[in-house]
Amino acid sequence: MGESRFDRLFIGGEWVEPIDGGLRGSIDPATGEPWGEVAFGGKADIDRAVTAAREAFEGPWRKMPGWERAALLRKFADLYATKVEALAQIESRDNGRAIRESRGDIGLHAQYYHWFASLTDKLSGRTIPMDDSVHAFTSRLPAGVIGTITPWNVPLMAAAWKLGPALAAGCTVVLKPAEHTPASSLALGRIFEEAGFPPGVVNIVPGDGPVAGAHLVAHPGVDKIAFTGEGATAKTILKTGADTLKRFSFELGGKAPHIIFDDANIEQALNAATGSAWALCGQSCALGSRILVERSIYDRVVKEFRERASRVKVGMPLDPAIHMGPQAHQDQLDKTLSYIGIGRDEGADLVAGGSRIDNTDLQGGYFVEPTVFSNVVPNMRIAQEEIFGPVASIIPFEGEEEAVAIANGTPYGLAAGLWTNDVGRAHRVAAQIEAGIVWVNTYRYIRWSTPYGGFKTSGWGRENGLEALDSYLETRTTIVSTTGQFPDPFVG
C-alpha cells in the first residue's frame, strides 16, 4: 500500500484508466516536488462512477439486510486498522502533516467505521399514536447516491466521517478527494476491494474541483452532496446543484475562540492552547486560532506562547521527532504569509515567528514558523478571517460578558474552548457561545459518537454521532386504515 503510484480510478469495483482525465504528479509539500503519480478523472469518469453507484444502490446494497452491511463495514474497519502506518505515510507525503499526527488521527478511524457499523441494523422508525381507525408508522430509508467531496487537510478523516454514516444508512458513494491530496483516498479503494464490498458501492474519482467536482454536484443521478471545505466553495456548490434540488451537508470553516479565565489551571490551558494553535500546521477548521485571555494573566500567557513557539520542531513530515510539517500547498503558504503581513499592517504585535522557513534542510518546502500576535483587537482581519495557518492571535478581555461577546463576534460558529475552575462559570459561558461544539477544560476532543458541525457560516448538518445519519436517510410515513372504511363524500 505504500507505493507512490495510484494510476487508476476505482469505479464499479474495478481499477480503470481515466476516460477524459489523465495522470498527474502529486506534490510533496515538504519538497515542492512530485512524489507520486495519480489518476485524475473528468466528466465522463464521474458519469460512469455515478452510474455504478446507482446500479449498486438499486441492486444489492439497499436490499442487503442491515446486519450484512454491518459485517462488511466491520471487516473493512478491521482491515483498515492493519494499514494505519501505510495510510499515515501516504497522507503525510501528500499533505505534509507530521507523521506523529497522522498516525494518531488515522489510528482512530477504524473505531469510526465500527461505530457506524453498529447502527446499520438499528435504523428503525417509530409508531405514531393516533386513534383506533389507523395504524401510523415511519420508516427510515437510504437517501440514495451520495457525492462526497473531501478536503486536503484531513482527507482520510473526512472520508471516514462521510463514508461511515452513508454506508450504514444503505447509501452508495462517489468520493472525490481534494486535488491536492488524492493518493490516500485511492488507497481506501484497495481496502474496500479487499473487504469484499459489492461493486459500485464505493467509487473513488480524484479530479479538479471546477471539472470533476462541479459535474458531480450538478449530476442528476446524485441525491446528496456531503462537502468539507471553504464557505466560498460551498456557495458555488449550492448554486451548481440547485437545479436538481439535491440535499447538501456542509462542514465549513471556523475561527474558534479559546478562552482562558484567570481562575483556570493555567499550565494545562497553555498546553491545550498552544497545541491547538499549531496543530496540522494550523490547517484545521477547529483550530484554536483566537486565544482570549483575561487581562490579569494576559502578559503571562503571551510570554508562554512566545517561549513555546520556540520549542516547536518544524521539519520533514516523516520524521517522528518533528511537531509540525509544512503548509499543504503553495497557495496555502502564500495565504498564510499574506495574513502575517496583514497582522503587522493592522498594528498587532508580532511576538514570535512570522516568516517562511527556507533553510538548506527545508529548501523548496512550504514551511512557515509558528507565529504569535499579541495585542490583537477583535475586529482585526487576523481575528475575523480564517487563515488556515499556524498563526495565533492573543486577545485580552475583562470578565465573562466581554469574553462571550468577542467569542461570538465572527461569522463562524464551529468550535470553541474555555478554561475555568468555576463550575458555574463553565456552564454559564458555554451556554452562551454560538458554536456547534464547546470544550471545557480540554480541547479538540472529537470522537465517533460526539456530533460535530457548525452554527452560522460554519456549516449545515452534523457529522459523527447519531445525528450524522439524519442527512443520509429519508423518512417515509405510512398510514394504514384498520377499518378499510372511507365515507362517500357525496351522500347526504
Side-chain angles (χ1 to χ4, degrees), residues 252-470:
L252 306 176
K255 195 68 178 176
H258 202 154
I259 307 167
I260 305 176
F261 288 97
D262 62 6
D263 65 348
N265 183 324
I266 307 301
E267 184 69 17
Q268 297 305 312
L270 282 164
N271 290 344
T274 54
S276 64
W278 301 314
L280 284 82
C281 196
Q283 298 164 135
S284 168
C285 50
L287 192 74
S289 57
R290 290 187 298 150
I291 299 88
L292 280 54
V293 182
E294 199 150 23
R295 194 170 291 279
S296 59
I297 58 169
Y298 186 80
D299 290 343
R300 174 184 173 185
V301 169
V302 171
K303 180 181 178 182
E304 283 285 342
F305 259 80
R306 179 191 297 113
E307 192 275 328
R308 294 183 186 215
S310 69
R311 288 161 36 196
V312 177
K313 296 176 183 176
V314 182
M316 300 300 284
L318 297 184
D319 180 352
I322 70 107
H323 302 125
M324 195 173 88
Q327 301 275 261
H329 51 87
Q330 180 71 56
D331 289 346
Q332 183 54 50
L333 173 67
D334 294 342
K335 179 183 177 184
T336 296
L337 294 175
S338 73
Y339 270 100
I340 292 171
I342 289 168
R344 287 193 182 102
D345 294 342
E346 288 180 315
D349 294 335
L350 181 65
V351 299
S355 300
R356 179 177 183 176
I357 305 173
D358 197 16
N359 58 34
T360 302
D361 293 337
L362 304 179
Q363 193 166 11
Y366 310 137
F367 296 92
V368 64
E369 296 173 320
T371 298
V372 182
F373 282 103
S374 68
N375 294 319
V376 176
V377 177
N379 63 359
M380 287 180 176
R381 287 183 63 189
I382 60 169
Q384 286 289 319
E385 300 172 14
E386 187 175 42
I387 299 171
F388 232 55
V391 181
S393 298
I394 309 181
I395 304 170
F397 70 86
E398 295 278 5
E400 293 177 22
E401 185 175 344
E402 186 178 17
V404 170
I406 296 171
N408 292 338
T410 76
Y412 298 104
L414 183 58
L418 67 98
W419 288 80
T420 177
N421 280 324
D422 183 330
V423 174
R425 167 179 277 173
H427 283 282
R428 283 194 306 273
V429 174
Q432 297 177 74
I433 293 178
E434 298 167 349
I437 189 165
V438 180
W439 294 292
V440 180
N441 293 337
T442 187
Y443 202 83
R444 294 186 78 243
Y445 184 92
I446 301 169
R447 293 296 186 272
W448 40 90
S449 55
T450 56
Y452 185 87
F455 289 14
K456 301 190 286 188
T457 64
S458 285
W460 291 2
R462 292 294 179 270
E463 296 189 296
N464 302 333
L466 296 174
E467 290 80 355
L469 288 165
D470 289 343

Side-chain angles (χ1 to χ4, degrees), residues 6 31 36 43 83 86 111 134 138 147 172 177 199 206 241 243 246-247 249 299-300 308 360 368 392 396 424 451:
F6 302 88
T31 65
K43 292 182 179 181
K83 302 178 189 301
Q111 291 302 321
V134 297
T138 63
T172 56
D243 287 344
K246 54 174 55 76
R247 290 182 177 197
S249 60
D299 290 343
R300 174 184 173 185
R308 294 183 186 215
T360 302
V368 64

